[in-house]
Amino acid sequence: MPEHELISPGATEDLPLLRDAAREAGVIAMRYFGNNPQVWMKGGTSPVSEADHAADAYLRQTLLAARPDYGWLSEETADDPVRLSARRTFVVDPIDGTRGFLEGQRTWCVSVAVVEHGRTLAGVLECPAMDETYWALPGQGAFRNGKRIAVRKLADTAEISGLKQLTDLMPAEWQARLKRAPYSPSLAYRLAMIANGALDATFVKPNAHDWDIAAADLILREAGGQLLDQHGRAPLYAGEVTRHGALAAGSGELLAVLAGVIAGLDA
């Protein structure tokens, strides 16, 4: 079944809601950007700041006020299994790339998506420090700042991001063609770079969560690329399990090579 046939009536009305909410959340986050916000550590290793909490609070209040029957899944909100009974779910990362945000890097995003039956129906990435907004609907293309975007055609040199350990597992005939891209702490932004033709592909290390990729996955797919798991399938979102194994993102022949690498990993 084509992806666009999965859209339920009214889904397109969610896109402007997501765009407006993400834009305002970006404004909120920018008030803290470069201003030494208070920071805590989650699990001893992952930073979260008052900017994350402020943006998350705004998004939750705004989005659920507009769609009170939707479920809610966010990196910065304690998960409530009641969301599993909702037909649609907001999947949100108020600041994807918090570590980079705190270091003054500009490539962070507010990531918001609506998911139904495991698939993203609308996705928005608001990247205010880059002055970029990405969005997509199934079957209608992907856009950056209103201009349609597409993955780039593979050239003699392929620019790739992700774990060096995985890149080193690529076939020998590809090694001389690879150019390592600078690391971006925001996984969502890395996927947007592939969708926009600024990057060819990336490996995604295990333990990415739904909120990291649900919006960017749709944007990449609508730009002509794919995000695949170790079984060569597109991830599903907003289910009981919100964490993923190794993933590969890109298009065409190069994606097939990356997918082959992660298929050979232990699950």
Side-chain angles (χ1 to χ4, degrees), residues 7-13 87-88:
I7 299 181
S8 298
T12 54
E13 282 73 22
R87 179 181 179 186
R88 292 181 185 156

Side-chain angles (χ1 to χ4, degrees), residues 119-139:
R119 300 295 187 189
T120 305
L121 294 185
V124 174
L125 299 178
E126 178 71 21
C127 315
M130 297 294 291
D131 196 26
E132 294 176 348
T133 305
Y134 296 82
W135 68 86
L137 290 170

Side-chain angles (χ1 to χ4, degrees), residues 176-221:
R177 298 180 61 181
L178 299 180
K179 176 184 177 182
R180 296 283 299 171
Y183 175 70
S184 170
S186 170
L187 173 54
Y189 194 78
R190 267 190 281 153
L191 297 180
M193 288 177 66
I194 300 172
N196 193 38
L199 182 66
D200 288 294
T202 188
F203 284 109
V204 179
K205 64 183 179 180
N207 296 324
H209 288 78
D210 287 359
W211 47 76
D212 300 312
I213 57 179
D217 182 354
L218 177 61
I219 292 165
L220 175 59
R221 187 178 310 116

Side-chain angles (χ1 to χ4, degrees), residues 79-184:
D79 194 10
D80 186 343
V82 73
R83 67 175 173 79
L84 296 171
S85 62
R87 179 181 179 186
R88 292 181 185 156
T89 301
F90 290 115
V91 180
V92 171
D93 193 341
I95 299 179
D96 185 74
T98 297
R99 196 178 301 274
F101 174 93
L102 295 173
E103 293 172 354
Q105 298 183 39
R106 296 188 300 131
T107 54
W108 51 272
C109 304
V110 178
S111 175
V112 290
V114 171
V115 169
E116 182 179 61
H117 302 312
R119 300 295 187 189
T120 305
L121 294 185
V124 174
L125 299 178
E126 178 71 21
C127 315
M130 297 294 291
D131 196 26
E132 294 176 348
T133 305
Y134 296 82
W135 68 86
L137 290 170
Q140 299 189 32
F143 297 84
R144 184 190 71 168
N145 294 353
K147 182 178 179 181
R148 191 157 184 164
I149 57 175
V151 298
R152 68 188 182 191
K153 294 182 180 179
L154 185 62
D156 292 338
T157 299
E159 192 169 9
I160 189 170
S161 183
L163 287 175
K164 182 178 184 299
Q165 299 95 307
L166 294 178
T167 306
D168 289 346
L169 295 176
M170 293 179 66
E173 61 267 24
W174 281 90
Q175 294 297 333
R177 298 180 61 181
L178 299 180
K179 176 184 177 182
R180 296 283 299 171
Y183 175 70
S184 170

